[in-house]
Amino acid sequence: MSGILIYSRAEARRNAFSVEKYKKYLGVTLMYEETVDFDAPADFVINRTDRYDIAREFERRGKRVFNPSPLTRLANDKQRCYEYMRENDIEIMPIDYMTTPLVMKPSFGKGGKGVRLIDSPPVPKTDGFVYQKPASEMGKDLRVWLLGGKIMGAVLRESDSDFRANFCLGGRASLYRLSSDEIHLIDKISSLIEYDYIGLDFVFDGGRAVFNEIEDAVGARMLYSLTETDIIGEYCDYIKKQLRGSHD
């Protein structure tokens, strides 16, 4: 079975460790988002971009894509994702919220980039942004990794200097023990989406975890720094099993 691994050029450089692991475990060929060749021979595609249209075109051509395009589309559009979760009785922090303080997020952003805390009026109403009520415990959030329906790990991220707790923005990370209520919430969200390998992020409001976003091309630096889990290796084993199952 031959495979293609897709990153943007910048993300491939930033994630060289992961790229080499995918190559080692699956023998994939690295292809850049900017120069995708849909006619390249491959049995499967690992899409590590936020481009659902790339995944959809490969799917249209009969390729198995990890993650599937509907998941990539949902995960990378915050407005769409929040509305979907709310419609399915998953608690979110209120959106379309215009009372300060509020959090202003690019709808198609990731990694905390472009997210602003607005603490005084006037509020800039700009297309392409989500306006959301802040959680009561700012500078603190939870990342949970899921692989094939299984919870693989959970890490608490905290920052004393920024309302965003993202690890890539300098937040500190520690292993987190999920409560039974949190596991139930994760399982409920998991049942609503079709995915292979994702992260779920939660904020804390009034002491409880509240859904924040789905990380489609989820990173694994925190898991590698805090545990012995080779999550990319396990993902590659999962991909091999999926491909074998489709040819039985």
Side-chain angles (χ1 to χ4, degrees):
M1 304 293 284
S2 61
I4 293 171
L5 173 68
I6 306 176
Y7 275 95
S8 69
R9 290 184 184 276
E11 287 298 302
R13 288 192 296 270
R14 196 170 77 89
N15 292 280
F17 170 81
S18 298
V19 170
E20 290 308 309
K21 279 190 170 288
Y22 284 115
K23 287 182 176 180
K24 174 184 176 182
Y25 292 136
L26 291 173
V28 293
T29 299
L30 177 63
M31 183 180 291
Y32 296 119
E33 170 188 352
E34 294 86 349
T35 54
V36 171
D37 178 6
F38 292 109
D39 294 319
D43 299 295
F44 68 95
V45 175
I46 304 171
N47 181 24
R48 299 290 295 173
T49 78
D50 58 6
R51 297 275 303 280
Y52 81 90
D53 57 321
I54 289 177
R56 186 176 61 186
E57 180 58 24
F58 275 113
E59 289 167 346
R60 192 185 69 79
R61 293 168 181 245
K63 314 301 184 187
R64 172 66 160 93
V65 181
F66 302 84
N67 286 307
S69 60
L71 184 282
T72 299
R73 185 179 189 187
L74 181 69
N76 291 288
D77 183 337
K78 290 183 175 60
Q79 185 76 29
R80 178 189 293 266
C81 189
Y82 286 139
E83 290 173 354
Y84 180 76
M85 292 299 168
R86 186 171 58 185
E87 289 166 3
N88 285 279
D89 298 320
I90 300 297
E91 182 184 9
I92 61 169
M93 297 306 299
I95 58 174
D96 303 323
Y97 188 82
M98 300 308 294
T99 302
T100 56
L102 62 81
V103 176
M104 179 180 174
K105 303 177 179 180
S107 190
F108 301 99
K110 60 182 179 179
K113 294 178 181 177
V115 178
R116 297 170 56 197
L117 178 65
I118 309 294
D119 54 14
S120 60
V123 175
K125 296 181 180 180
T126 306
D127 289 342
F129 284 82
V130 174
Y131 297 86
Q132 190 170 33
K133 181 179 180 179
S136 62
E137 300 174 52
M138 290 192 288
K140 176 182 176 181
D141 69 14
L142 174 66
R143 160 71 54 80
V144 180
W145 286 263
L146 298 176
L147 173 58
K150 179 182 177 183
I151 296 173
M152 302 298 295
V155 167
L156 182 70
R157 304 182 294 191
E158 299 176 279
S159 175
D160 296 324
S161 59
D162 198 316
F163 72 97
R164 301 165 297 179
N166 301 68
F167 192 58
C168 62
L169 297 178
R172 62 185 183 275
S174 59
L175 293 178
Y176 183 85
R177 184 178 179 86
L178 295 165
S179 70
S180 59
D181 286 345
E182 288 163 348
I183 292 172
H184 177 74
L185 174 59
I186 291 163
D187 287 344
K188 183 176 180 181
I189 295 170
S190 178
S191 72
L192 296 171
I193 53 180
E194 181 184 349
Y195 67 93
D196 298 297
Y197 169 48
I198 58 170
L200 293 180
D201 289 352
F202 300 86
V203 292
F204 290 91
D205 188 63
R208 69 191 184 284
V210 176
F211 174 80
N212 190 41
E213 60 186 294
I214 302 170
E215 289 291 339
D216 172 24
V218 62
R221 290 180 180 84
M222 289 182 290
L223 267 191
Y224 279 106
S225 68
L226 295 171
T227 75
E228 297 299 316
T229 301
D230 182 5
I231 188 69
I232 296 175
E234 298 209 28
Y235 185 27
C236 291
D237 286 342
Y238 165 88
I239 290 171
K240 290 175 185 177
K241 290 177 183 175
Q242 291 290 305
L243 295 172
R244 283 199 299 267
S246 67
H247 286 79
D248 288 344

